[in-house]
Amino acid sequence: MTPSIQSRAAEGVAHITLDRPDRGNAFSAAMVEELQRAWDAALEDPATHTVVLRGNGKQFCTGFDLSSLGDETDSTLRQRFRRVEALLQSVWHAPLRTVAIAQGRTWGAGADLFASCDVRAAFPDATFRFPGAGFGIVLGTRRLTEAIGWAAARPLVTEGKPLDVPAATACGLVTHVIPAEPEEWLAQLTAIAPVDRETFAAIRAVARAQLQKEDAESLDRSAARPGLKSRIEAYIERARAPRH
């Protein structure tokens, strides 16, 4: 199987790249497991002070890969959402600096991954959508609300409102708009290491609500509602319908 995650580390910075450009870097079940392993490996190195998440190709991440939806069940889909929630919690509560660089479609679980990072940079062509509530899933809502406030988060999660980069910057979802060649910007950002891991973790604990259990239970309750697969299928049909 071709790896869907590429990772490397140098001088305290771990780079993790989503690498399924032919599928818009969409999350298959296997890809999420591979990404979690790469993430865990980055955290295991005590020299790492920053993790950079990027996507290969034209998109950052288009969300869940539903190309095999016909083979899924409510139970398998529920488990996939659980695994994504665990990954997002790992990123949100990480004891080090996290950076996401988005281009193109940054949607669904991809948008949740982006929103879970500290530094949220985007190329001018990036777009953002959080459609999960459209099929009854509550994923990452509290984290998004904590990051940008309920007034900004509400239309994104309850109406599926899309955002371009100016709008995402205005509401605080995007923290930096970057040029086409961002390596110099990234080098300047990561040249200054943050405080040590133990202190960073203590700051995280003070600055962020420690609601991992509650977040996981909220997601699981929404995924456990009967008819998850049917709701996703209905959502896809609505999305495909022509708009008048």
mmCIF file of all heavy atoms in Angstrom, residues 21-71:
data_model
loop_
_atom_site.group_PDB
_atom_site.id
_atom_site.type_symbol
_atom_site.label_atom_id
_atom_site.label_comp_id
_atom_site.label_asym_id
_atom_site.label_seq_id
_atom_site.Cartn_x
_atom_site.Cartn_y
_atom_site.Cartn_z
ATOM 1 N N PRO A 21 -2.951 13.091 -2.900
ATOM 2 C CA PRO A 21 -3.442 14.192 -3.729
ATOM 3 C C PRO A 21 -4.513 13.774 -4.719
ATOM 4 O O PRO A 21 -5.374 14.584 -5.086
ATOM 5 C CB PRO A 21 -2.178 14.692 -4.440
ATOM 6 C CG PRO A 21 -1.223 13.535 -4.383
ATOM 7 C CD PRO A 21 -1.507 12.852 -3.079
ATOM 8 N N ASP A 22 -4.495 12.510 -5.149
ATOM 9 C CA ASP A 22 -5.512 12.043 -6.084
ATOM 10 C C ASP A 22 -6.890 11.966 -5.450
ATOM 11 O O ASP A 22 -7.908 11.932 -6.150
ATOM 12 C CB ASP A 22 -5.131 10.665 -6.632
ATOM 13 C CG ASP A 22 -4.934 9.637 -5.531
ATOM 14 O OD1 ASP A 22 -4.334 9.987 -4.496
ATOM 15 O OD2 ASP A 22 -5.366 8.482 -5.706
ATOM 16 N N ARG A 23 -6.956 11.944 -4.106
ATOM 17 C CA ARG A 23 -8.220 11.931 -3.379
ATOM 18 C C ARG A 23 -8.410 13.217 -2.582
ATOM 19 O O ARG A 23 -9.188 13.255 -1.632
ATOM 20 C CB ARG A 23 -8.271 10.739 -2.416
ATOM 21 C CG ARG A 23 -8.207 9.376 -3.066
ATOM 22 C CD ARG A 23 -9.391 9.121 -3.966
ATOM 23 N NE ARG A 23 -10.665 9.304 -3.249
ATOM 24 C CZ ARG A 23 -11.851 9.306 -3.828
ATOM 25 N NH1 ARG A 23 -11.943 9.139 -5.138
ATOM 26 N NH2 ARG A 23 -12.938 9.468 -3.115
ATOM 27 N N GLY A 24 -7.711 14.274 -2.960
ATOM 28 C CA GLY A 24 -7.830 15.534 -2.241
ATOM 29 C C GLY A 24 -7.351 15.422 -0.802
ATOM 30 O O GLY A 24 -7.771 16.188 0.074
ATOM 31 N N ASN A 25 -6.444 14.459 -0.546
ATOM 32 C CA ASN A 25 -5.939 14.192 0.805
ATOM 33 C C ASN A 25 -7.062 13.872 1.790
ATOM 34 O O ASN A 25 -6.954 14.143 2.990
ATOM 35 C CB ASN A 25 -5.082 15.352 1.314
ATOM 36 C CG ASN A 25 -3.836 15.556 0.479
ATOM 37 O OD1 ASN A 25 -3.192 14.597 0.057
ATOM 38 N ND2 ASN A 25 -3.508 16.806 0.195
ATOM 39 N N ALA A 26 -8.135 13.288 1.273
ATOM 40 C CA ALA A 26 -9.260 12.918 2.132
ATOM 41 C C ALA A 26 -8.856 11.788 3.072
ATOM 42 O O ALA A 26 -8.045 10.930 2.729
ATOM 43 C CB ALA A 26 -10.458 12.494 1.287
ATOM 44 N N PHE A 27 -9.469 11.787 4.252
ATOM 45 C CA PHE A 27 -9.136 10.824 5.293
ATOM 46 C C PHE A 27 -9.806 9.472 5.062
ATOM 47 O O PHE A 27 -11.005 9.326 5.295
ATOM 48 C CB PHE A 27 -9.579 11.335 6.661
ATOM 49 C CG PHE A 27 -8.720 12.407 7.254
ATOM 50 C CD1 PHE A 27 -9.244 13.290 8.183
ATOM 51 C CD2 PHE A 27 -7.398 12.533 6.908
ATOM 52 C CE1 PHE A 27 -8.463 14.276 8.751
ATOM 53 C CE2 PHE A 27 -6.600 13.523 7.458
ATOM 54 C CZ PHE A 27 -7.128 14.393 8.380
ATOM 55 N N SER A 28 -9.047 8.484 4.628
ATOM 56 C CA SER A 28 -9.521 7.115 4.715
ATOM 57 C C SER A 28 -9.247 6.629 6.137
ATOM 58 O O SER A 28 -8.499 7.265 6.893
ATOM 59 C CB SER A 28 -8.769 6.226 3.718
ATOM 60 O OG SER A 28 -7.395 6.147 4.071
ATOM 61 N N ALA A 29 -9.826 5.494 6.505
ATOM 62 C CA ALA A 29 -9.565 4.939 7.840
ATOM 63 C C ALA A 29 -8.079 4.645 8.005
ATOM 64 O O ALA A 29 -7.475 4.957 9.050
ATOM 65 C CB ALA A 29 -10.398 3.679 8.052
ATOM 66 N N ALA A 30 -7.458 4.071 6.971
ATOM 67 C CA ALA A 30 -6.036 3.733 7.052
ATOM 68 C C ALA A 30 -5.179 4.990 7.165
ATOM 69 O O ALA A 30 -4.177 5.014 7.895
ATOM 70 C CB ALA A 30 -5.621 2.913 5.834
ATOM 71 N N MET A 31 -5.565 6.043 6.463
ATOM 72 C CA MET A 31 -4.782 7.269 6.497
ATOM 73 C C MET A 31 -4.807 7.899 7.889
ATOM 74 O O MET A 31 -3.790 8.421 8.368
ATOM 75 C CB MET A 31 -5.315 8.257 5.456
ATOM 76 C CG MET A 31 -4.537 9.560 5.381
ATOM 77 S SD MET A 31 -5.266 10.661 4.141
ATOM 78 C CE MET A 31 -4.146 12.050 4.227
ATOM 79 N N VAL A 32 -5.944 7.869 8.547
ATOM 80 C CA VAL A 32 -6.039 8.431 9.895
ATOM 81 C C VAL A 32 -5.112 7.673 10.845
ATOM 82 O O VAL A 32 -4.423 8.276 11.679
ATOM 83 C CB VAL A 32 -7.490 8.409 10.394
ATOM 84 C CG1 VAL A 32 -7.568 8.789 11.876
ATOM 85 C CG2 VAL A 32 -8.345 9.367 9.566
ATOM 86 N N GLU A 33 -5.084 6.344 10.729
ATOM 87 C CA GLU A 33 -4.195 5.556 11.576
ATOM 88 C C GLU A 33 -2.739 5.898 11.284
ATOM 89 O O GLU A 33 -1.913 6.019 12.199
ATOM 90 C CB GLU A 33 -4.452 4.067 11.369
ATOM 91 C CG GLU A 33 -5.838 3.604 11.760
ATOM 92 C CD GLU A 33 -6.181 3.936 13.202
ATOM 93 O OE1 GLU A 33 -5.307 3.750 14.091
ATOM 94 O OE2 GLU A 33 -7.315 4.392 13.451
ATOM 95 N N GLU A 34 -2.414 6.062 10.015
ATOM 96 C CA GLU A 34 -1.044 6.402 9.636
ATOM 97 C C GLU A 34 -0.669 7.794 10.142
ATOM 98 O O GLU A 34 0.452 8.019 10.633
ATOM 99 C CB GLU A 34 -0.915 6.327 8.113
ATOM 100 C CG GLU A 34 0.508 6.321 7.620
ATOM 101 C CD GLU A 34 0.597 6.170 6.113
ATOM 102 O OE1 GLU A 34 -0.385 5.738 5.490
ATOM 103 O OE2 GLU A 34 1.667 6.497 5.562
ATOM 104 N N LEU A 35 -1.602 8.716 10.058
ATOM 105 C CA LEU A 35 -1.357 10.071 10.543
ATOM 106 C C LEU A 35 -1.171 10.067 12.061
ATOM 107 O O LEU A 35 -0.300 10.769 12.583
ATOM 108 C CB LEU A 35 -2.529 10.984 10.146
ATOM 109 C CG LEU A 35 -2.472 12.431 10.626
ATOM 110 C CD1 LEU A 35 -1.162 13.099 10.229
ATOM 111 C CD2 LEU A 35 -3.659 13.209 10.069
ATOM 112 N N GLN A 36 -1.972 9.280 12.769
ATOM 113 C CA GLN A 36 -1.811 9.206 14.220
ATOM 114 C C GLN A 36 -0.436 8.652 14.584
ATOM 115 O O GLN A 36 0.214 9.150 15.515
ATOM 116 C CB GLN A 36 -2.913 8.324 14.826
ATOM 117 C CG GLN A 36 -2.888 8.254 16.348
ATOM 118 C CD GLN A 36 -3.326 9.548 17.005
ATOM 119 O OE1 GLN A 36 -4.490 9.924 16.941
ATOM 120 N NE2 GLN A 36 -2.388 10.223 17.660
ATOM 121 N N ARG A 37 0.032 7.649 13.861
ATOM 122 C CA ARG A 37 1.363 7.096 14.142
ATOM 123 C C ARG A 37 2.456 8.133 13.881
ATOM 124 O O ARG A 37 3.409 8.253 14.671
ATOM 125 C CB ARG A 37 1.606 5.842 13.292
ATOM 126 C CG ARG A 37 0.819 4.624 13.752
ATOM 127 C CD ARG A 37 1.324 3.352 13.084
ATOM 128 N NE ARG A 37 1.088 3.347 11.656
ATOM 129 C CZ ARG A 37 -0.021 2.890 11.082
ATOM 130 N NH1 ARG A 37 -1.012 2.420 11.829
ATOM 131 N NH2 ARG A 37 -0.165 2.897 9.773
ATOM 132 N N ALA A 38 2.331 8.875 12.782
ATOM 133 C CA ALA A 38 3.323 9.908 12.479
ATOM 134 C C ALA A 38 3.303 10.995 13.544
ATOM 135 O O ALA A 38 4.350 11.505 13.960
ATOM 136 C CB ALA A 38 3.053 10.506 11.096
ATOM 137 N N TRP A 39 2.092 11.333 13.985
ATOM 138 C CA TRP A 39 1.956 12.355 15.029
ATOM 139 C C TRP A 39 2.601 11.875 16.329
ATOM 140 O O TRP A 39 3.355 12.611 16.967
ATOM 141 C CB TRP A 39 0.473 12.663 15.245
ATOM 142 C CG TRP A 39 0.239 13.642 16.332
ATOM 143 C CD1 TRP A 39 -0.114 13.390 17.616
ATOM 144 C CD2 TRP A 39 0.375 15.064 16.227
ATOM 145 N NE1 TRP A 39 -0.204 14.568 18.332
ATOM 146 C CE2 TRP A 39 0.091 15.595 17.504
ATOM 147 C CE3 TRP A 39 0.718 15.923 15.193
ATOM 148 C CZ2 TRP A 39 0.144 16.964 17.760
ATOM 149 C CZ3 TRP A 39 0.762 17.300 15.447
ATOM 150 C CH2 TRP A 39 0.478 17.800 16.721
ATOM 151 N N ASP A 40 2.311 10.644 16.728
ATOM 152 C CA ASP A 40 2.878 10.095 17.962
ATOM 153 C C ASP A 40 4.401 10.046 17.891
ATOM 154 O O ASP A 40 5.088 10.335 18.881
ATOM 155 C CB ASP A 40 2.323 8.695 18.228
ATOM 156 C CG ASP A 40 0.850 8.700 18.581
ATOM 157 O OD1 ASP A 40 0.321 9.770 18.951
ATOM 158 O OD2 ASP A 40 0.217 7.632 18.481
ATOM 159 N N ALA A 41 4.930 9.686 16.721
ATOM 160 C CA ALA A 41 6.381 9.627 16.554
ATOM 161 C C ALA A 41 7.009 11.000 16.712
ATOM 162 O O ALA A 41 8.086 11.148 17.310
ATOM 163 C CB ALA A 41 6.731 9.030 15.187
ATOM 164 N N ALA A 42 6.345 12.037 16.179
ATOM 165 C CA ALA A 42 6.863 13.398 16.318
ATOM 166 C C ALA A 42 6.905 13.816 17.782
ATOM 167 O O ALA A 42 7.867 14.438 18.241
ATOM 168 C CB ALA A 42 6.004 14.370 15.511
ATOM 169 N N LEU A 43 5.881 13.450 18.533
ATOM 170 C CA LEU A 43 5.831 13.825 19.937
ATOM 171 C C LEU A 43 6.817 13.041 20.786
ATOM 172 O O LEU A 43 7.262 13.515 21.835
ATOM 173 C CB LEU A 43 4.418 13.637 20.493
ATOM 174 C CG LEU A 43 3.514 14.875 20.470
ATOM 175 C CD1 LEU A 43 3.293 15.366 19.046
ATOM 176 C CD2 LEU A 43 2.181 14.595 21.142
ATOM 177 N N GLU A 44 7.174 11.839 20.350
ATOM 178 C CA GLU A 44 8.101 11.015 21.118
ATOM 179 C C GLU A 44 9.516 11.575 21.116
ATOM 180 O O GLU A 44 10.305 11.276 22.020
ATOM 181 C CB GLU A 44 8.112 9.590 20.558
ATOM 182 C CG GLU A 44 6.885 8.785 20.927
ATOM 183 C CD GLU A 44 6.840 7.446 20.231
ATOM 184 O OE1 GLU A 44 7.827 7.117 19.519
ATOM 185 O OE2 GLU A 44 5.834 6.725 20.382
ATOM 186 N N ASP A 45 9.862 12.373 20.118
ATOM 187 C CA ASP A 45 11.201 12.956 20.044
ATOM 188 C C ASP A 45 11.244 14.185 20.948
ATOM 189 O O ASP A 45 10.599 15.198 20.649
ATOM 190 C CB ASP A 45 11.523 13.347 18.605
ATOM 191 C CG ASP A 45 12.940 13.887 18.451
ATOM 192 O OD1 ASP A 45 13.616 14.109 19.482
ATOM 193 O OD2 ASP A 45 13.356 14.107 17.304
ATOM 194 N N PRO A 46 11.986 14.156 22.043
ATOM 195 C CA PRO A 46 11.996 15.293 22.968
ATOM 196 C C PRO A 46 12.583 16.564 22.367
ATOM 197 O O PRO A 46 12.372 17.662 22.903
ATOM 198 C CB PRO A 46 12.844 14.784 24.140
ATOM 199 C CG PRO A 46 13.698 13.702 23.559
ATOM 200 C CD PRO A 46 12.867 13.073 22.498
ATOM 201 N N ALA A 47 13.314 16.427 21.267
ATOM 202 C CA ALA A 47 13.900 17.610 20.632
ATOM 203 C C ALA A 47 12.890 18.382 19.793
ATOM 204 O O ALA A 47 13.130 19.536 19.421
ATOM 205 C CB ALA A 47 15.085 17.201 19.759
ATOM 206 N N THR A 48 11.769 17.765 19.479
ATOM 207 C CA THR A 48 10.773 18.419 18.625
ATOM 208 C C THR A 48 10.021 19.489 19.409
ATOM 209 O O THR A 48 9.449 19.208 20.450
ATOM 210 C CB THR A 48 9.777 17.394 18.065
ATOM 211 O OG1 THR A 48 10.486 16.420 17.294
ATOM 212 C CG2 THR A 48 8.732 18.071 17.188
ATOM 213 N N HIS A 49 10.021 20.704 18.873
ATOM 214 C CA HIS A 49 9.278 21.791 19.519
ATOM 215 C C HIS A 49 8.136 22.320 18.649
ATOM 216 O O HIS A 49 7.297 23.084 19.120
ATOM 217 C CB HIS A 49 10.208 22.948 19.889
ATOM 218 C CG HIS A 49 10.966 23.555 18.726
ATOM 219 N ND1 HIS A 49 10.367 24.326 17.750
ATOM 220 C CD2 HIS A 49 12.292 23.498 18.409
ATOM 221 C CE1 HIS A 49 11.278 24.731 16.884
ATOM 222 N NE2 HIS A 49 12.451 24.242 17.249
ATOM 223 N N THR A 50 8.100 21.900 17.373
ATOM 224 C CA THR A 50 7.067 22.371 16.451
ATOM 225 C C THR A 50 6.711 21.236 15.493
ATOM 226 O O THR A 50 7.600 20.541 14.989
ATOM 227 C CB THR A 50 7.566 23.575 15.631
ATOM 228 O OG1 THR A 50 7.950 24.637 16.519
ATOM 229 C CG2 THR A 50 6.486 24.082 14.680
ATOM 230 N N VAL A 51 5.411 21.068 15.237
ATOM 231 C CA VAL A 51 4.958 20.135 14.219
ATOM 232 C C VAL A 51 4.212 20.923 13.150
ATOM 233 O O VAL A 51 3.307 21.717 13.473
ATOM 234 C CB VAL A 51 4.035 19.043 14.789
ATOM 235 C CG1 VAL A 51 3.565 18.110 13.676
ATOM 236 C CG2 VAL A 51 4.748 18.245 15.873
ATOM 237 N N VAL A 52 4.595 20.731 11.891
ATOM 238 C CA VAL A 52 3.991 21.424 10.760
ATOM 239 C C VAL A 52 3.172 20.422 9.962
ATOM 240 O O VAL A 52 3.691 19.391 9.521
ATOM 241 C CB VAL A 52 5.065 22.067 9.857
ATOM 242 C CG1 VAL A 52 4.399 22.794 8.683
ATOM 243 C CG2 VAL A 52 5.932 23.032 10.658
ATOM 244 N N LEU A 53 1.904 20.728 9.746
ATOM 245 C CA LEU A 53 0.994 19.872 8.980
ATOM 246 C C LEU A 53 0.686 20.530 7.644
ATOM 247 O O LEU A 53 0.279 21.697 7.598
ATOM 248 C CB LEU A 53 -0.303 19.648 9.756
ATOM 249 C CG LEU A 53 -0.171 18.814 11.034
ATOM 250 C CD1 LEU A 53 -1.380 19.032 11.925
ATOM 251 C CD2 LEU A 53 -0.027 17.346 10.699
ATOM 252 N N ARG A 54 0.870 19.769 6.566
ATOM 253 C CA ARG A 54 0.611 20.292 5.226
ATOM 254 C C ARG A 54 -0.086 19.230 4.391
ATOM 255 O O ARG A 54 -0.156 18.063 4.776
ATOM 256 C CB ARG A 54 1.931 20.704 4.550
ATOM 257 C CG ARG A 54 2.754 21.665 5.357
ATOM 258 C CD ARG A 54 4.120 21.934 4.788
ATOM 259 N NE ARG A 54 4.103 22.855 3.679
ATOM 260 C CZ ARG A 54 5.173 23.502 3.231
ATOM 261 N NH1 ARG A 54 6.354 23.302 3.781
ATOM 262 N NH2 ARG A 54 5.083 24.323 2.211
ATOM 263 N N GLY A 55 -0.572 19.646 3.234
ATOM 264 C CA GLY A 55 -1.179 18.721 2.292
ATOM 265 C C GLY A 55 -0.449 18.776 0.966
ATOM 266 O O GLY A 55 -0.093 19.865 0.494
ATOM 267 N N ASN A 56 -0.238 17.629 0.354
ATOM 268 C CA ASN A 56 0.400 17.568 -0.956
ATOM 269 C C ASN A 56 -0.647 17.788 -2.047
ATOM 270 O O ASN A 56 -1.756 17.263 -1.969
ATOM 271 C CB ASN A 56 1.076 16.207 -1.146
ATOM 272 C CG ASN A 56 1.847 16.127 -2.448
ATOM 273 O OD1 ASN A 56 2.223 17.146 -3.017
ATOM 274 N ND2 ASN A 56 2.082 14.914 -2.920
ATOM 275 N N GLY A 57 -0.305 18.577 -3.045
ATOM 276 C CA GLY A 57 -1.226 18.798 -4.149
ATOM 277 C C GLY A 57 -2.032 20.076 -4.000
ATOM 278 O O GLY A 57 -1.629 21.011 -3.309
ATOM 279 N N LYS A 58 -3.205 20.089 -4.627
ATOM 280 C CA LYS A 58 -4.008 21.308 -4.693
ATOM 281 C C LYS A 58 -4.873 21.543 -3.465
ATOM 282 O O LYS A 58 -5.364 22.650 -3.262
ATOM 283 C CB LYS A 58 -4.910 21.268 -5.935
ATOM 284 C CG LYS A 58 -4.143 21.269 -7.258
ATOM 285 C CD LYS A 58 -5.090 21.252 -8.442
ATOM 286 C CE LYS A 58 -4.327 21.281 -9.761
ATOM 287 N NZ LYS A 58 -5.265 21.268 -10.921
ATOM 288 N N GLN A 59 -5.094 20.508 -2.649
ATOM 289 C CA GLN A 59 -5.976 20.633 -1.488
ATOM 290 C C GLN A 59 -5.191 20.314 -0.214
ATOM 291 O O GLN A 59 -4.264 19.499 -0.225
ATOM 292 C CB GLN A 59 -7.178 19.674 -1.585
ATOM 293 C CG GLN A 59 -7.740 19.429 -2.959
ATOM 294 C CD GLN A 59 -8.301 20.663 -3.641
ATOM 295 O OE1 GLN A 59 -8.588 21.660 -2.987
ATOM 296 N NE2 GLN A 59 -8.480 20.613 -4.957
ATOM 297 N N PHE A 60 -5.625 20.938 0.889
ATOM 298 C CA PHE A 60 -5.072 20.552 2.183
ATOM 299 C C PHE A 60 -5.680 19.225 2.617
ATOM 300 O O PHE A 60 -4.992 18.232 2.795
ATOM 301 C CB PHE A 60 -5.345 21.636 3.230
ATOM 302 C CG PHE A 60 -4.912 21.244 4.617
ATOM 303 C CD1 PHE A 60 -3.572 21.129 4.933
ATOM 304 C CD2 PHE A 60 -5.847 20.989 5.619
ATOM 305 C CE1 PHE A 60 -3.159 20.753 6.216
ATOM 306 C CE2 PHE A 60 -5.453 20.623 6.897
ATOM 307 C CZ PHE A 60 -4.103 20.506 7.200
ATOM 308 N N CYS A 61 -7.001 19.190 2.763
ATOM 309 C CA CYS A 61 -7.709 17.953 3.094
ATOM 310 C C CYS A 61 -9.193 18.194 2.885
ATOM 311 O O CYS A 61 -9.758 19.141 3.443
ATOM 312 C CB CYS A 61 -7.440 17.527 4.536
ATOM 313 S SG CYS A 61 -8.370 16.066 5.056
ATOM 314 N N THR A 62 -9.825 17.342 2.097
ATOM 315 C CA THR A 62 -11.234 17.529 1.750
ATOM 316 C C THR A 62 -12.185 16.808 2.697
ATOM 317 O O THR A 62 -13.374 16.698 2.417
ATOM 318 C CB THR A 62 -11.486 17.062 0.309
ATOM 319 O OG1 THR A 62 -11.037 15.704 0.161
ATOM 320 C CG2 THR A 62 -10.740 17.954 -0.678
ATOM 321 N N GLY A 63 -11.669 16.329 3.832
ATOM 322 C CA GLY A 63 -12.525 15.698 4.834
ATOM 323 C C GLY A 63 -12.464 14.186 4.770
ATOM 324 O O GLY A 63 -11.446 13.599 4.391
ATOM 325 N N PHE A 64 -13.565 13.540 5.144
ATOM 326 C CA PHE A 64 -13.643 12.078 5.118
ATOM 327 C C PHE A 64 -13.651 11.561 3.682
ATOM 328 O O PHE A 64 -14.342 12.113 2.826
ATOM 329 C CB PHE A 64 -14.934 11.618 5.800
ATOM 330 C CG PHE A 64 -14.748 11.185 7.225
ATOM 331 C CD1 PHE A 64 -14.033 11.961 8.111
ATOM 332 C CD2 PHE A 64 -15.285 9.995 7.683
ATOM 333 C CE1 PHE A 64 -13.853 11.580 9.417
ATOM 334 C CE2 PHE A 64 -15.118 9.601 8.998
ATOM 335 C CZ PHE A 64 -14.396 10.384 9.871
ATOM 336 N N ASP A 65 -12.898 10.500 3.438
ATOM 337 C CA ASP A 65 -12.986 9.806 2.156
ATOM 338 C C ASP A 65 -14.195 8.882 2.221
ATOM 339 O O ASP A 65 -14.197 7.882 2.953
ATOM 340 C CB ASP A 65 -11.717 9.000 1.914
ATOM 341 C CG ASP A 65 -11.706 8.325 0.550
ATOM 342 O OD1 ASP A 65 -12.744 8.368 -0.142
ATOM 343 O OD2 ASP A 65 -10.661 7.750 0.186
ATOM 344 N N LEU A 66 -15.217 9.223 1.475
ATOM 345 C CA LEU A 66 -16.454 8.442 1.468
ATOM 346 C C LEU A 66 -16.624 7.671 0.167
ATOM 347 O O LEU A 66 -17.730 7.284 -0.188
ATOM 348 C CB LEU A 66 -17.647 9.377 1.699
ATOM 349 C CG LEU A 66 -17.662 10.073 3.069
ATOM 350 C CD1 LEU A 66 -18.772 11.116 3.126
ATOM 351 C CD2 LEU A 66 -17.822 9.057 4.194
ATOM 352 N N SER A 67 -15.522 7.431 -0.527
ATOM 353 C CA SER A 67 -15.604 6.717 -1.807
ATOM 354 C C SER A 67 -16.076 5.278 -1.631
ATOM 355 O O SER A 67 -16.597 4.679 -2.569
ATOM 356 C CB SER A 67 -14.247 6.740 -2.511
ATOM 357 O OG SER A 67 -13.247 6.121 -1.711
ATOM 358 N N SER A 68 -15.899 4.713 -0.440
ATOM 359 C CA SER A 68 -16.363 3.343 -0.172
ATOM 360 C C SER A 68 -17.547 3.340 0.784
ATOM 361 O O SER A 68 -17.741 2.372 1.527
ATOM 362 C CB SER A 68 -15.216 2.504 0.401
ATOM 363 O OG SER A 68 -14.748 3.063 1.618
ATOM 364 N N LEU A 69 -18.336 4.406 0.743
ATOM 365 C CA LEU A 69 -19.469 4.515 1.668
ATOM 366 C C LEU A 69 -20.414 3.321 1.554
ATOM 367 O O LEU A 69 -21.001 2.885 2.553
ATOM 368 C CB LEU A 69 -20.228 5.818 1.404
ATOM 369 C CG LEU A 69 -21.406 6.130 2.339
ATOM 370 C CD1 LEU A 69 -20.953 6.202 3.794
ATOM 371 C CD2 LEU A 69 -22.097 7.435 1.918
ATOM 372 N N GLY A 70 -20.564 2.771 0.351
ATOM 373 C CA GLY A 70 -21.453 1.641 0.174
ATOM 374 C C GLY A 70 -21.071 0.438 1.010
ATOM 375 O O GLY A 70 -21.928 -0.393 1.357
ATOM 376 N N ASP A 71 -19.786 0.331 1.363
ATOM 377 C CA ASP A 71 -19.310 -0.802 2.156
ATOM 378 C C ASP A 71 -19.334 -0.514 3.659
ATOM 379 O O ASP A 71 -19.035 -1.406 4.451
ATOM 380 C CB ASP A 71 -17.874 -1.163 1.755
ATOM 381 C CG ASP A 71 -17.776 -1.596 0.300
ATOM 382 O OD1 ASP A 71 -18.738 -2.221 -0.188
ATOM 383 O OD2 ASP A 71 -16.746 -1.293 -0.327
#
